[in-house]
Amino acid sequence: MARVLLVGVVALFAVFAAVWFLADTAPAVPSGAGPADPDAVEAPAAVEATAALDAPVAIEREAAPEPEAAATNADAGPRSTLRGRCLDADGNPIAGVAAGLTGWGGNSQRVEAWLRDHPEPERLSEEQTTGADGVFEFRFWPPPPFQFFVRLQAPGRATWSQRWNEIPIGSDVDAGDVTLPAGALLRGRVIDADGAPVAKVEIRINASGDRRASRDGGYDTWCTARTRDDGTFASRWALLAGDYDLAIDGHPIEAPKQVTLSGEDLFVDVVLQRIEPGDTITGVVVDESGAPIRGAMVHATGVNTGRINSTDCDGHFRVLRQENSPDEIRISAVHSSYSAADPGVGEAVRWGRDDVRIVLQKGGGVSILAVRADDGTPVEDYVLRILPLGGGFFSSGDARPRGGDHHDKGRENVEGLRPGRHQAFVQPRAGDLAIGSAVLEVTSAGGSPVVVRLAGTSPRQV
């Protein structure tokens, strides 16, 4: 019977691992391709544009998550080389091109396989500027679980980038000759229907039509900009000539909705539509004590913008009415550390309400202890994940590792679990132990301590 249960637990974890792998794995990107379109991800980070309207724009690189802990890469192993050369449209080398190389963890399966026997490598971030020969060359140790990204930027030239899902240790990678044609920055300011500046909003700039997905041979076809207190903005990097669509989450644009870049910087006034009170629903998400909850996802049935509506630092949210939206919608909020109903079963609200208040209950805590099944010895090095059961709301945040890779004396105290049934998965880093699992019952007051026993693995001859 115990053998059957163990097989069932391992099979269940395999299903979870497959789902998590598919959700987290970046698709293979062909040569010349770069980061995904920002509209394809749930919550692109807003990065403040730091350049003044009459000053060069600061070089930006694709953001990558910072690791919780890092080990130095200095003496890790043989170096790889990644090189290329920047040319103008006439084939002449370009000096002064800012080249940035970034490396960070790829899909979770590769990262976890590496962490079984190795410390976590530090994030890779290097910069250099091309000389008179236009050449850039990076020599570095490429951690096996990493993906890599290079972006080339120069004033007045289109921005080029490329991603590699992996780079073998000791290899030579030649990006070849990269032609950087003329490019332009989009500058301007955002004003409301009365002409007042709109501060601290992010503008998305996406190539129109088929160019949006084509990447135009490696040239960036999207960018963002964030307005300052006076409503002015400058795009984070220069873009190739062409048509670009503009959008601002939560702020419909009256004009222009599209701009044309011709190789020279363009300044535009972006005017927002007047929003009538009857076309919005606003409110706040708080906990039981009344404290605002930042980053809660707000779901509104009947309103589909293709973007995530989340609360700001003060817990506030606003939902805009879309064409063909019903007169009354249901609003609910979810957060990985708070209790939540399934999206769509919240309060029924009519348009024009400005006093919606959603209260989420803080999740409880539980203590997890991992031990060897044969002798009860604590297991300290493992990855812990806790997934909600019962078919309710599930987010990618629920599957995140809890408490790092090392757990003193085998124990981890996990806080902020939503009330209900959960399943804990313990994946040991030691190769002689199998994955263990246990079911948790959590209330707002917490749950009883749980011991997860890890069975040994025995090799078999084939």
Side-chain angles (χ1 to χ4, degrees), residues 367-371 378-379 382 409-412 426 450-453:
S367 176
I368 306 289
L369 174 64
V371 300
V379 177
Y382 59 85
K409 298 181 180 179
R411 189 177 301 278
E412 182 64 38
V426 173
V450 172
V451 177
V452 181
R453 303 183 186 279

Side-chain angles (χ1 to χ4, degrees), residues 29-38 62 149-152 158-163 207-223 237 239-240 244:
V29 181
S31 177
D37 185 303
E62 183 184 66
F149 179 78
V150 166
R151 172 166 279 142
L152 304 177
T159 302
W160 181 93
S161 61
Q162 183 168 337
R163 187 201 300 266
S208 304
D210 295 338
R211 288 184 57 244
R212 179 167 178 169
S214 71
R215 287 270 304 150
D216 283 350
Y219 304 109
D220 283 0
T221 56
W222 67 273
C223 191
W237 52 76
L239 294 168
L240 196 66
Y244 291 85

Side-chain angles (χ1 to χ4, degrees), residues 164-221:
W164 291 263
N165 284 337
E166 58 183 330
I167 292 179
I169 294 175
S171 63
D172 287 326
V173 178
D174 191 350
D177 288 341
V178 180
T179 301
L180 299 181
L185 294 173
L186 178 64
R187 303 177 183 270
R189 64 176 180 155
V190 176
I191 57 177
D192 63 20
D194 296 320
V198 180
K200 295 181 174 57
V201 296
E202 185 177 77
I203 306 173
R204 302 195 313 277
I205 308 164
N206 290 308
S208 304
D210 295 338
R211 288 184 57 244
R212 179 167 178 169
S214 71
R215 287 270 304 150
D216 283 350
Y219 304 109
D220 283 0
T221 56

Side-chain angles (χ1 to χ4, degrees), residues 99-119:
L101 169 66
T102 305
W104 71 99
N107 68 67
S108 60
Q109 187 181 57
R110 286 168 53 199
V111 171
E112 289 176 10
W114 172 262
L115 291 178
R116 280 180 173 271
D117 303 307
H118 307 84

Side-chain angles (χ1 to χ4, degrees), residues 12 26 60 106 123 126 250 262 287 395 423 451 462:
L12 178 60
E60 297 278 359
R123 179 191 176 200
E126 297 186 11
S262 60
D287 64 17
S395 75
Q423 188 149 18
V451 177
V462 295

